[in-house]
Structures are given as structure tokens and as C-alpha cells.
Amino acid sequence: MTSLDRRLPPGFLEEALRADARTGLTAEPKSLPPKWFYDAQGSALFDKITELPEYYPTRAEREILRAHAAGIAAQTGARTLIELGSGSSDKTRVLLDALRDAGTLRCYVPVDVSEPALAAAGKALSAEYPGLDVRAVVSDFEERLGFPADGPEDDGAPAPRLVAFLGSTIGNLEPRQRTAFLARVRDQMRPGDFFLLGTDLVKDPATLVAAYDDESGVTAAFNKNVLAVLNAELGADFDLDAFEHVAVWNADAEWIEMRLRSATAQTVRLPGIGLTVEFADGEEMRTEVSAKFRREGVAAELAAAGFAMRSWWTDSADQFGLSLSVPVRRAARSLR
């Protein structure tokens, strides 16, 4: 059984794109949020990125899941798997198989901003897992997390629940955004729930930069796709060939920055929002940060949001970390 719950109001994404484009392109320095990479072309390019030899995170996280999914299923006893930013739900099948084999799986809640991706994944999963209750939710996890509503077990998702946020997508959020996001997740958790978080780890800069600047140029095309989205949705006249892909390691912030560098002085018009933007020769616009983590930092951020880490796993090369946490009571502030 598959259902589709649309949590976003009509026109939400269109208005969000207009607002983000206006805010980012008039800022100093200019920036655009990475979520706008992912139209159909951008999603296809990212799928190619995950298969590149330089791009280790997907392989490393899948290695961890394959090694520990059965243990995660046994430890959580989860009847419902909620996945934030589910996409094609590809890696999730390792968890679904483990929960099914453990005899607990009843419900899967994929949450994603892309309705076509959810529809395709829901159809495939219903065929692969007969009897599984698939409740797809169209939502922007930064605004509306998309958890099933609380209520009787036949209305809400069956407990206990395992909430998964994989792929180190949390690294695309800056520290304040991460703090707010984790707090929102914690506020939706019930006693007995678990939170599974994927985090890419700090490592040598050469490996990190190569993962975001591959020799075949797929990541460069992916980066420039945000300009193609603005052209298609806002009538902009970005010349993609007039921008160069840049990936740099920011050692102070411990994150990779993806940027687009203007190859010449140029003027770009965005009639969809009535905006004209000047780019200087060599000017760089940030399109993504991808934070890298250390175990102690992950545990501290989770604790600040009201979680206690119960398990921590890495791949054989210690490139990626997967943590399993539970919600705990947050200490009340002392009064003076």
C-alpha cells in the first residue's frame, strides 16, 4: 500500500526559489543554496557522482550499512523507518531488508522535496516489499520534517520508529542550521525512537577536494546545473560556459566549499524576479558547503539537541561515520 502526503503549500517551491535567488544573488559574497541543484538533470548527475572513483562517501556509508544493518534492526526493533531526504531510497533497502528479516518492519516513510522521485520510489518499493505500508511525504525537511502525525497506532506510524538521515546531507547545513534542524528532529521523537545519522569525516584535504572536483567533470556539470535551474525557472540568461567550477577545503570551518567563478565580467538578468546582477571577472559565488565531522563533534551536537549516542560505526578506511542515538530529556536551565 502506498500513499502520498503533500505537506508543502501550493507554489511553495517556486516562491522559495525566487526568495533564495534574490537573497543570495544580492548578498556579498553571492551564494545559492545547494538544494536547487536537484532538478531531473541535477539528480541524474548526482547519481553519476556517487559512482565516480573519487567520490567515496556513498560507498563508505553503504559498507557500514551492510555490515551493521542487522544489528541496527535488532537494537531498534523498529516497525517504522522514516527517511529524511530519501531520494531514490536506494541505500535504504539495506535497512528495509534488515528490518524485514528481523520481522518488525511495518511502515516506511520516505520524505523528500521531489514528488516524482517519491512516486517512483514508492512504486518500486511496493513491488519489492509486498504488504509494506509506504507513506511518502512531499516536504522540505528544513521547513516541515514530514513525520507522520501523532495519534492511535492505526493512524500514526507504528512505534518504535527509526529516523534516518543518511548521505552526510547534514553537512550541507551550516552550524546554526544544524542546531535548529537537530532540535526539530528531537522535538518530533518519542520515547523508544532512534535516530540514525550519516556523517562524512575529516580526512586529508587532497582526498576531500578530489571527491568534489573529479577529473571527468561530472561534479562541475552538477555545480553549474544550479544556473540551468535559474535559467529554466526564472528566465535567467546565465551562460554556463562563462563560469568555472571550484572546490576548496576550508580548514578553519572544516568543510568543502563548492563555488562558481565568473570567467569574465558579465551581467546576468533574471526577469522572473526582476533582477539584474553584475559579476566581476574572477568573482566567486558559493553554491554548497559540505561539512566534515569528528566523532566527538557529532556526539556534542547531538547531545546539545537532546540525543544520546548509543552506537558509532565507521567503514574499514575510517572515512565515514554512522551514529545511532536516542532522545533523552534535556537538562533544564538553571535559574539564578
Side-chain angles (χ1 to χ4, degrees):
M1 179 176 68
T2 303
S3 64
L4 186 67
D5 180 4
R6 298 177 179 87
R7 296 282 180 89
L8 300 179
F12 173 86
L13 292 177
E14 292 80 2
E15 182 54 37
L17 175 60
R18 288 192 290 267
D20 285 346
R22 178 175 293 281
T23 299
L25 292 173
T26 57
E28 183 61 43
K30 298 180 179 67
S31 66
L32 290 170
K35 63 184 176 183
W36 302 117
F37 289 136
Y38 296 96
D39 63 352
Q41 174 68 5
S43 296
L45 285 168
F46 184 73
D47 286 344
K48 289 184 179 179
I49 288 172
T50 64
E51 298 171 357
L52 294 170
E54 299 97 331
Y55 194 79
Y56 62 85
T58 302
R59 292 189 298 274
E61 187 176 43
R62 185 175 285 114
E63 176 190 325
I64 301 169
L65 287 170
R66 285 173 175 163
H68 299 286
I72 292 169
Q75 187 172 347
T76 65
R79 300 183 69 195
T80 293
L81 173 61
I82 301 172
E83 185 179 10
L84 305 177
S86 56
S88 63
S89 301
D90 182 35
K91 280 182 296 188
T92 319
R93 286 165 169 80
V94 180
L95 286 171
L96 291 171
D97 287 347
L99 292 168
R100 179 188 58 187
D101 293 347
T104 62
L105 181 64
R106 299 291 181 273
C107 180
Y108 173 52
V109 183
V111 182
D112 201 89
V113 73
S114 172
E115 184 170 335
L118 285 170
K123 182 178 180 181
L125 289 166
S126 293
E128 293 175 42
Y129 300 87
L132 179 62
D133 182 7
V134 180
R135 306 183 187 183
V137 179
V138 182
S139 180
D140 178 349
F141 64 76
E142 289 187 56
E143 300 288 338
R144 297 165 175 80
L145 286 176
F147 280 41
D150 285 332
E153 187 164 290
D154 58 346
D155 292 330
R161 306 178 303 177
L162 172 60
V163 180
F165 193 41
L166 303 175
S168 202
T169 305
I170 195 169
N172 294 146
L173 306 177
E174 296 190 31
R176 287 185 180 180
Q177 294 174 310
R178 292 202 302 268
T179 297
F181 169 77
L182 290 172
R184 287 197 298 272
V185 173
R186 170 62 185 86
D187 287 344
Q188 295 295 318
M189 303 284 279
R190 307 167 182 161
D193 287 347
F194 288 81
F195 182 46
L196 187 67
L197 179 65
T199 45
D200 194 9
L201 302 180
V202 173
K203 56 187 66 66
D204 67 284
T207 298
L208 288 166
V209 171
Y212 293 83
D213 192 14
D214 60 280
E215 290 186 0
S216 58
V218 179
T219 310
F222 175 71
N223 195 7
K224 292 184 182 185
N225 193 65
V226 72
L227 304 180
V229 169
L230 296 184
N231 286 349
E233 299 299 328
L234 301 178
D237 60 358
F238 281 99
D239 178 0
L240 274 61
D241 292 333
F243 288 85
E244 301 167 349
H245 168 66
V246 179
V248 295
W249 170 242
N250 183 326
D252 292 332
E254 292 195 324
W255 64 38
I256 286 283
E257 292 186 13
M258 289 212 314
R259 307 170 185 167
L260 288 171
R261 178 186 296 147
S262 179
T264 183
Q266 56 183 306
T267 301
V268 178
R269 296 167 182 81
L270 297 91
I273 53 175
L275 187 65
T276 299
V277 181
E278 301 291 337
F279 284 87
D281 185 7
E283 180 179 356
E284 293 183 348
M285 174 173 63
R286 194 175 75 182
T287 53
E288 182 180 83
V289 300
S290 185
K292 307 306 168 186
F293 298 88
R294 302 175 189 271
R295 176 178 178 168
E296 58 271 23
V298 175
E301 291 194 36
L302 287 166
F307 289 99
M309 188 187 292
R310 290 287 182 258
S311 298
W312 170 266
W313 306 280
T314 64
D315 62 290
S316 56
D318 290 326
Q319 293 185 312
F320 200 94
L322 198 66
S323 59
L324 187 66
S325 303
V326 296
V328 295
R329 289 185 179 272
R330 283 168 283 196
R333 294 182 181 178
S334 60
L335 300 178
R336 296 184 182 273

